[in-house]
Structure formats: C-alpha cells, structure tokens
Amino acid sequence: MSATDRLAFIAEGLPIIHASAKGFWSGSVELRGKPREAEGLEGSAKEEAAKILILLDVVRRPEKRVAGKLSMLIGRFYGHLERLIYAQLAEWWSEDIARLRKAVEPLRTTHDLEGSMGEFIVPNSTLYRRESKFYADVEAYEDGTPLWNAPAGH
C-alpha cells in the first residue's frame, strides 16, 4: 500500500475505532451494578483506544523506515498485551523516550517473578488481570494439580 493510500485507509478507520471504544465505555458505565463486566468493557474500551495510538505511530514513521517496522506495529495493533501497554502509557508522563522505554520493558515480559527471591514464576500480571476478568479457566500450581479459576473483577 502506498503511503498516500495507507494514510487514507488509516484515516477512514480512526472514527470506526473511536466509535467502538466509546461504545464499550458507555456499556461499562451502564453496567455499574456488575463490576466484573463493567471492568471488562472498560478494559476493552481502553484497548480499542490504544489502537488509535498504534496507528498514529504508523503514520508518524518516515516512509523510508515504515517498511521494516510496519509488520511489528501491525502486530501491536492485534496483540492484547501490546494494546494494554499502549493504554497504560497514555496515562503516564515521561521526561524522555529513554526513561519511557526503561519503564515499558518490564511490562513486555510473558511471565513475572514473585517472592522475596523471585522463586515463583507467574503469568504477566497485566495480561492475567485482563484474562481473569473475561474467562473461566483452569490453572495449575507447581505441583501440577489443576484447579478452576472463576472470572472476577478486581
């Protein structure tokens, strides 16, 4: 897709994404009596809005550098963790890009270490909070015994 066509395509999609985010947000407000469901819709609204930030990164890239990074940026558009990070960054303030990158790096891990010496390996907390609101799931501790996890708000 040429740069001009890509820009027009993105411009066409921004109002669609915005309307989708607003729909999730207004749904979350309507469900105040159901906190888990409201939190899930609020999170979906933030993820949708994060897509706009990702597309703005695509637009801001100089044309000669887009080709190599476009597939990475599009991957962020579709990845839950990436969108959650973009949404979280929208609420932060940073003095410079180096500090921002340093703050983001731990958020990108697939697993976290917990315990006083990091002896416990647990799923990425940002992704886990999202998934645990939406889905009933089976989990297992280190002894391998499976147990059910019911979806719950935080």
Side-chain angles (χ1 to χ4, degrees), residues 5-24:
D5 290 344
R6 182 172 47 248
L7 186 59
F9 183 74
I10 290 171
E12 179 185 338
L14 292 178
I16 295 168
I17 296 168
H18 182 252
S20 177
K22 282 178 57 177
F24 281 130

Side-chain angles (χ1 to χ4, degrees), residues 31-41 133 152-154:
L31 291 175
R32 285 200 175 133
K34 295 183 175 260
R36 179 182 75 89
E37 292 79 2
E39 284 180 31
L41 288 176
K133 286 178 198 161
H154 298 282

Side-chain angles (χ1 to χ4, degrees), residues 23-144:
F24 281 130
W25 191 265
S26 66
S28 75
V29 171
E30 294 292 321
L31 291 175
R32 285 200 175 133
K34 295 183 175 260
R36 179 182 75 89
E37 292 79 2
E39 284 180 31
L41 288 176
E42 182 180 324
S44 293
K46 289 179 180 181
E47 280 192 58
E48 283 291 272
K51 289 178 181 178
I52 293 171
L53 299 175
I54 294 166
L55 291 175
L56 290 176
D57 276 352
V58 171
V59 170
R60 292 178 333 150
R61 283 234 173 252
E63 183 57 33
K64 63 185 174 221
R65 289 182 35 199
V66 166
K69 300 282 185 176
L70 191 57
S71 63
M72 177 189 67
L73 289 169
I74 297 304
R76 290 178 182 167
F77 185 85
Y78 289 107
H80 289 295
L81 179 59
E82 292 85 346
R83 291 192 310 245
L84 291 167
I85 290 171
Y86 265 81
Q88 189 168 356
L89 290 178
E91 299 175 8
W92 290 1
W93 181 86
S94 184
E95 296 170 6
D96 59 42
I97 194 72
R99 287 183 190 228
L100 192 60
R101 284 184 177 143
K102 187 175 181 178
V104 166
E105 195 58 38
L107 302 175
R108 299 175 64 216
T109 61
T110 58
H111 290 80
D112 296 331
L113 298 177
E114 288 190 356
S116 59
M117 296 185 181
E119 64 267 26
F120 303 109
I121 300 171
V122 296
N124 175 293
S125 59
T126 303
L127 212 49
Y128 182 79
R129 278 191 306 274
R130 178 199 184 276
E131 301 293 315
S132 66
K133 286 178 198 161
F134 281 111
Y135 308 112
D137 204 353
V138 175
E139 296 180 348
Y141 292 113
E142 59 188 47
D143 68 356

